[in-house]
Amino acid sequence: FDTRKIFQGTLTIKAGASLALEEGAEISAGNSGPVAGKLVNAGALTKSGSGTAGIYGIDFWNSGTLKITMGTLDISSTTLQNSGIVDVRGGASLVGNTATQFKNAGSVRISGHGVVNTNLSENSGKISVTGGELDLASDAANTGLIEVNDDAGVFALGKLIGGGTID
């Protein structure tokens, strides 16, 4: 198939449907020029298996569940708008670069040595860290809740802007 056509359009995971990303999998804008692709997840998107999978340079709308159970999901240069659930656990990682924008209006759960290390630009939802690592070294507009439990590992933030809560 011609990936340039797919990535200029929209890949939709409907409610009740699922997609698994394994090591080496990539969803990206490719060489699509000025037209960015879009990934819409209303179902379940899971990163499993060791190694890295990537979602690069696209708009990613998550109203379903994004679960990272093993390895790394790299969302560099992607805008991730979450109104669903992002679940990072068991030593798995969600990472991005400085061009990444992570906007959370849903729920982010980090547990069991899971790691989230990306550019959080907005949080109006809830981020819960239990036995994992949250490293958001950029300025973030926070009107939601960031909850760090006693057994959390690393908690690193840039500057928080807004009236949200850190508990």
Side-chain angles (χ1 to χ4, degrees):
F1 59 85
D2 187 342
T3 57
R4 289 173 294 174
K5 291 180 183 176
I6 290 174
F7 298 131
Q8 288 179 347
T10 300
L11 172 60
T12 301
I13 305 165
K14 294 183 177 184
S18 63
L19 176 66
L21 298 177
E22 296 185 5
E23 180 177 359
E26 181 178 315
I27 301 171
S28 71
N31 295 322
S32 61
V35 180
K38 185 184 290 186
L39 172 60
V40 178
N41 178 36
L45 178 60
T46 302
K47 164 55 182 91
S48 61
S50 62
T52 300
I55 299 173
Y56 303 117
I58 63 172
D59 291 329
F60 179 8
W61 295 82
N62 182 57
S63 61
T65 299
L66 171 60
K67 187 182 292 185
I68 304 144
T69 60
M70 288 183 68
T72 299
L73 180 60
D74 185 349
I75 59 169
S76 290
S77 302
T78 291
T79 298
L80 169 55
Q81 305 225 22
N82 178 53
S83 61
I85 297 169
V86 174
D87 188 7
V88 184
R89 60 171 99 171
S93 299
L94 175 66
V95 301
N97 61 13
T98 56
T100 303
Q101 291 201 29
F102 183 10
K103 300 176 181 183
N104 180 51
S107 175
V108 177
R109 301 184 300 227
I110 308 162
S111 63
H113 304 288
V115 175
V116 172
N117 183 357
T118 189
N119 184 24
L120 178 73
S121 54
E122 297 174 19
N123 179 48
S124 60
K126 179 179 179 182
I127 299 174
S128 178
V129 185
T130 305
E133 177 180 331
L134 177 64
D135 187 355
L136 307 170
S138 60
D139 294 354
N142 182 48
T143 57
L145 172 64
I146 299 175
E147 179 181 63
V148 182
N149 295 300
D150 290 342
D151 58 350
V154 176
F155 176 62
L157 286 176
K159 178 172 64 175
L160 288 179
I161 304 163
T165 303
I166 299 177
D167 187 15

